[in-house]
Amino acid sequence: CIMTQNLPVTGDYAPFYAKYIELVPDGDLLEILNAQLHDYQRVLSPLTDKQADFRYAADKWSVKESLGHVTDAERIFTYRILRFARADQTPLSSFDQDEYVRTANSSAQKIVDLLDEFTAVRRASMVLMRSLDDPAWLRRGVASGKEISVLALTFVVIGHAQHHLRIFEERYLPALPRA
């Protein structure tokens, strides 16, 4: 099964994504996606809304904004997966993550609602990925001016979320104000 194979090869994605792809452990991708969903719940559900407004530096996103970013990025990456898996060869544009965060208004939301949204998006991503047959995983398309495979995009979804989970655990949580 494609979903349990090793990392995508370098030509399957733009070099920029290597930092995310390298964070994905070996194993069944659906199991990894599900475990990661539980990790997000474990790390972020104990936070109060005040704690989730915390920024570990003045120029960094808050916990809420970061979670909103992870959710938006996953939506975009899985939209690309859908398009390319269905053999749609229309090139897809990039997105400005900072503009998305600026206009998402995540700070006005409750952390529990942002977690619910991430959970819904992640579950939808998993259902889509579960539906793909082996040929779909190998299909490719162009996004942000670079060719990428469906398999590589799936690794990007996982690796990008893992990258932000590490930042939550290493930079935000140790510096959080008490509840």
Side-chain angles (χ1 to χ4, degrees), residues 7-31:
L7 296 174
V9 296
T10 304
D12 286 347
Y13 56 90
F16 170 80
Y17 290 122
K19 66 182 179 183
Y20 299 135
I21 290 171
E22 291 167 358
L23 294 176
V24 180
D26 289 337
D28 182 282
L29 298 181
L30 282 173
E31 290 175 11

Side-chain angles (χ1 to χ4, degrees), residues 46-103:
L47 302 183
T48 66
D49 283 316
K50 182 177 180 179
Q51 288 174 318
D53 286 327
F54 176 72
R55 301 167 191 273
Y56 68 87
D59 62 338
K60 297 298 181 183
W61 297 330
S62 70
V63 172
K64 289 179 180 179
E65 290 168 330
S66 295
L67 179 56
H69 161 71
V70 171
T71 303
D72 281 350
E74 183 156 331
R75 277 190 173 108
I76 290 166
F77 294 142
T78 54
Y79 173 71
R80 292 172 179 177
I81 288 169
L82 172 67
R83 296 278 303 261
F84 301 156
R86 301 295 192 258
D88 186 336
Q89 291 299 298
T90 307
L92 301 176
S93 62
S94 59
F95 69 102
D96 181 341
Q97 66 179 17
D98 293 315
E99 188 64 18
Y100 272 58
V101 170
R102 189 182 70 73
T103 59

Side-chain angles (χ1 to χ4, degrees), residues 79-154:
Y79 173 71
R80 292 172 179 177
I81 288 169
L82 172 67
R83 296 278 303 261
F84 301 156
R86 301 295 192 258
D88 186 336
Q89 291 299 298
T90 307
L92 301 176
S93 62
S94 59
F95 69 102
D96 181 341
Q97 66 179 17
D98 293 315
E99 188 64 18
Y100 272 58
V101 170
R102 189 182 70 73
T103 59
N105 200 27
S106 296
S107 295
Q109 298 180 53
K110 295 182 180 304
I111 187 66
V112 67
D113 293 335
L114 291 166
L115 273 169
D116 284 348
E117 182 179 10
F118 173 73
T119 299
V121 169
R122 174 53 61 94
R123 288 188 174 140
S125 299
M126 291 168 51
V127 170
L128 171 63
M129 292 168 192
R130 191 178 307 117
S131 76
L132 301 179
D133 60 11
D134 285 352
W137 288 99
L138 302 177
R139 291 189 187 112
R140 306 162 80 81
V142 174
S144 304
K146 305 288 183 186
E147 192 170 288
I148 191 164
S149 71
V150 170
L151 180 63
L153 275 165
T154 303

